[in-house]
Amino acid sequence: MGKTSVAIKVVHDPRVIEKFGKNRLWVACEQATSVPLLIELLAKVLELPTSRSGDRFNDIITFLESCDVLVLLLLDNFETPWDIEGQRSNVGDVLARLASIPSVSFILTMRGSQHPYEELVDWSLPRLPLLTQLDLGPAEEAFLRISPQSAGDVELPTLLRELDCMPLAITLMAKLASAGETVHQLLSQWRTERTEILGQVGGDRRTSIEVSIKLSLDSRAVKANEDAIILLGIFSMLPGGAAVSRLPYMCPSMPKWNSALRVLLNAALVHRSADRSFIQVLSPIRSYAMLHHPLEEGPQLRDLRVCYYELAKKGKSQPGDPDFLTNVKELSAEETNMEAILFDALRRKGDVELNVLQASQDYSNYLYWTQPRTDVIEMAVQVARDSQSGELAGCLQYLGLILGMLAQHDAAGTILKEAQVEYANLGNRSGAANCLRLLGDILRVQTEYVAAETALKKAQEEFISLGDPLNAAYCLRSLGDTLRIQSQYEAARTPLEEAQSEFIRLGNPLGAAYCLRSLGEILMMQSRYDAALTTLKEAQAEFVSLGHRLGVAECLRSIGDVLIAQAQYDAAQTAVKEAHAEFISLGNRMCAAHCLSSLAQLLMLQAQYDAAQTVLKEARADYIGVGDRVGAATCLTLLGQILGMQTQYDAAQKILKEAQAECTSIGDRLGATQCLCALGEIMMWQTQYDAACTALKAAQREYISLGNDLGVADCLCTLGESLIMQGQYEEARSAVKEAQTRYINLGVRLGAAECLRLSGDILWMEKHYDEARISLKEAQGEFTILEYRSGIAKCLRSLGRILQVEMQYDAAWDTLTEANTIFVAMEDRFGTADCLFTLGRISRIQGRFDEAIKQFEEAQKLYSIIGRTSDAQLCSEESSLASAGDTSA
């Protein structure tokens, strides 16, 4: 207590506040009973989300290194992690890495005189002295604050001096005095006990604290109660504190535990939490009790373990079970204690008969559904291996399950295969089939679709043979998802609907909700957006009622994608960002990457190309990290499209062809078709019209085969624009009109507006200027509502051209200048060149020849860069006319 009090006083010093502001963070290290828990405590104090990279400590370091402010960490009671057996080097590495960050300072409190890792940590000079004593005045004040009845006792200064005015010793002595001991009695006990103990351990500061604690333990009340020290040992096993409501279940063989608790409270060996619902032991006392009075194998330790093993059984529940949310709440409050009990039993390796391995599996099931991590189940696997336990198969299965949730698919696959073999050796057909089903899901994510279908069908047949309709339905759902991911939407619908009906019949709302979400995804991919939105929101509501965070987040991300397609950008961004934060919290890197990909598409539509590229590169790196080839290829496609929008056509073609090859190699037909369509558009802008037409028509046929109406509309729209450029206006009108009809039927406002713009371009090229102006202004209004800057600029460009042809030069100049400003901001070199060319013609006609020449030269340069040689030649010809002083229209 003394060291913490002093450290807090320092942290609240005005000079420290001035330097560090709000970035003064307290880390209660007494709960850090393992290196992973120490790292988790640091992450929680820093308010970091669950690791997306899979390396929690690396996330901490990355965050601190990126901070642009000074940070002060108070690592309180650091002796807990420092004294973990066999882990001092690892703990020291954590400390040294933190110390290496220039913006990070820390205050460390711990027992003893050693400065941890002195060879790697540059401790401040001069070294702070040990917190050995207070001055007599403050020491007496501290004592009397706890035991005011001792005021005026003439022996008190003597007692305080003999205690060396140690803060912790003073506090404990004062609490004994407040419980009824006189100062004279305490002084007598001190003198007697100190001589004996100092002779054993040498008389340093640690000895003084131990003497104080031992005096409390040897007080009359504690000695008179035979259960008190045993109960202290129980409490010391629970770093998160003991829930008062759970004490009867922890101590069934201790009928008078209430009396023992009162004794410990009066002796200040334990204290109640602020809300009085937990009994807590201060770290020094806990350490002393575990060292000198450990809870040995026997009835009390067995009772404590059984209590927590029973609690772990509540982890068996899953979303949809009536008590799931209640069980999650109860277990979440006991995570620190649960892991301490399980780790202790697993380390001793003598408790397998009490089914610590089963308890580890039950608790891991809870972690799978809430906050996936593998520390406990990894140790359980090792103990099961060493003991050759029949529980090894189950432990392996849970390890594989959580690894899959954390997107560590290769490791998950390896572990699940081993689990399958173990189950087979045990003659457990159901367990082996379940592993096969989970392997099928892993293979699907890894785009091994044939192998996935084979595994899932085999597992399904086994479950049917075993009379297990629920797991057979899970296989059916997974088969449907496998078909869905391969863009076989109608084929996927049948097994998903069949599985949904089966889940409903069996009373499994979780499985039914999953099917509903997948059916919503199919509707979205078929561009049936209103139906998709309705279905996904229904699934989301079901997941919310079940308390299934992952399902809720997955629906939210898909809803965001639908909203993007419907050009509801603000609502889409809100949904996708909320889903992303939840995936990060759940440690699901793959789904978080999906959200980044969606955000990048949103940024593309808003012409924020640089930001979109940054997000896509991050998403692609995450996809590659978790082995999701489809996701990585999709990012590559989008990067190619961005380059096309920035008129970097050669680079765009190269990336799109690479993405197309990748999609083809993994059987992603939709992805390959999207690449083909994008390549057709790039070819169009490069005036490779025949090649563009061939590519777009091939993509259109493939989209028709896939049942993707939106893709068909996109191909028709781009084909229409290509035909306009070639002067084939009737064919262009037909393609654009069909595309517009499809877009309207699908509810895709952006596509419909684009068709309206192209219709306006056809009309003005045919010299129907008034009709063209109406279409273009209507399209411009839609683009403005949708905040689509590229469309706005293109409408302005066409309207400016019409005004120029009509010889309304001032109005044309203003309109084209406005369009050019948007194109420049978007880094659209083609649009900029077009505007400069028309502005140059206006300048030439109005006799501003020098200005015209400059505009033609700039336009010519841009056209040349993007490979528009015929347009560049026109600029050269116009420049020659300006040089000759020609003002003809």
Side-chain angles (χ1 to χ4, degrees), residues 700 711-721 732 734-736 738-739 742:
Q700 182 183 356
V712 174
D714 287 341
C715 289
L716 285 167
C717 184
T718 307
L719 190 60
E721 189 162 16
S734 175
V736 169
E738 184 181 347
R742 288 177 180 270

Side-chain angles (χ1 to χ4, degrees), residues 603-669:
L603 290 166
M604 285 170 60
L605 290 168
Q606 296 174 314
Q608 299 180 42
Y609 300 129
D610 290 341
Q613 281 183 314
T614 300
V615 173
L616 276 174
K617 286 174 183 176
E618 182 182 351
R620 178 167 162 77
D622 287 344
Y623 279 130
I624 292 171
V626 300
D628 186 343
R629 294 175 64 192
V630 171
T634 300
C635 289
L636 206 56
T637 303
L638 293 171
L639 284 167
Q641 289 176 323
I642 289 174
L643 289 170
M645 292 172 182
Q646 294 177 310
T647 63
Q648 300 179 42
Y649 299 132
D650 290 340
Q653 274 212 42
K654 181 179 178 182
I655 286 184
L656 286 168
K657 286 178 179 177
E658 181 184 343
Q660 184 183 24
E662 178 68 7
C663 290
T664 301
S665 72
I666 59 179
D668 181 9
R669 289 177 62 198

Side-chain angles (χ1 to χ4, degrees), residues 11 130 169 200 647:
V11 167
L130 291 175
Q200 295 172 4
T647 63

Side-chain angles (χ1 to χ4, degrees), residues 162-179:
E162 293 206 17
L163 291 172
D164 288 330
C165 293
M166 270 295 294
L168 176 58
I170 291 167
T171 300
L172 292 173
M173 284 287 198
K175 289 195 174 183
L176 287 171
S178 70

